[in-house]
Amino acid sequence: AQTVTQSQPEMSVQEAETVTLSCTYDTSESDYYLFWYKQPPSRQMILVIRQEAYKQQNATENRFSVNFQKAAKSFSLKISDSQLGDAAMYFCATEAGNMLTFGGGTRLMVKP
Amino acid sequence: DTGVSQNPRHKITKRGQNVTFRCDPISEHNRLYWYRQTLGQGPEFLTYFQNEAQLEKSRLLSDRFSAERPKGSFSTLEIQRTEQGDSAMYLCASSFYRGHYEQYFGPGTRLTVT
């Protein structure tokens, strides 16, 4: 069984600044994937970034990067140069056995 | 690529009624997933199909919930004898193997049971 915990219900960041969202997980699988999804208000969920657990190198997608600490089962998301359009719910998820297990989410507010 | 579509977008029903939701996946995607998302929570996996075969259904919340994908294209999720606790957003996702099955989500169907 998988569990995902996001300990920050809400975060706030000033436009153009950097923010880090935290996520810890637990899984009994040896081969798994980790994801961050973004869900803007009243809009559908989109994939932000993906990390294969067997890869030591942290994934990066433009302004989004992760800090993957496998031994600590930690998977944080860093958003650089925050933009107003980054305001959304962010969900951390793990995939094993063809299903996604999501955390409770972090609401990110971006201040102009 | 027109994206995953779901209909209806909103459904209000009275307790005890049956409801059915439809999901149309991205055309070449052979896997289709259903999730439930309650207010303020992350989505919760319910079931998934590969083509027309339902490969995992143990996570369906009760025997009132059922899903079908008869021709391996669109899927329906039915809830019989709805209860107020069924009020939630029901999300559909689809995927296709490109080294990994990346899931693309639809906009969801919001169910309100009165």
Side-chain angles (χ1 to χ4, degrees), chain A residues 1-2 33 35 37 39 42-47 50 89 91 95 97-105, chain B residues 4 9 31 33 35 37 40-45 48 56 59 91 99-107:
Chain A
Q2 284 70 240
Y33 290 81
F35 306 89
Y37 279 88
Q39 189 175 41
S42 301
R43 293 180 59 190
Q44 61 208 74
M45 195 167 308
I46 58 173
L47 179 65
R50 178 183 80 203
M89 284 292 292
F91 293 97
E95 181 182 8
N98 301 307
M99 55 176 270
L100 288 171
T101 299
F102 288 86
Chain B
V4 178
R9 295 291 307 277
R31 286 193 174 181
Y33 312 79
Y35 292 83
Q37 185 177 22
Q41 301 295 318
E44 174 187 18
F45 172 83
Y48 90 98
E56 174 60 66
R59 303 298 184 105
L91 299 173
H100 173 256
Y101 283 99
E102 179 179 315
Q103 296 185 31
Y104 292 78
F105 282 82

Side-chain angles (χ1 to χ4, degrees), chain B residues 86-98:
Chain B
D86 297 332
S87 296
M89 178 76 84
Y90 291 85
L91 299 173
C92 175
S94 68
S95 69
F96 179 72
Y97 189 76
R98 290 177 188 149

Side-chain angles (χ1 to χ4, degrees), chain B residues 44-70:
Chain B
E44 174 187 18
F45 172 83
L46 296 178
T47 187
Y48 90 98
F49 295 83
Q50 179 154 317
N51 300 313
E52 64 275 11
Q54 190 173 13
L55 298 187
E56 174 60 66
K57 56 182 179 181
S58 66
R59 303 298 184 105
L60 285 168
L61 299 163
S62 77
D63 58 7
R64 297 185 297 107
F65 288 72
S66 63
E68 292 184 343
R69 195 183 184 198

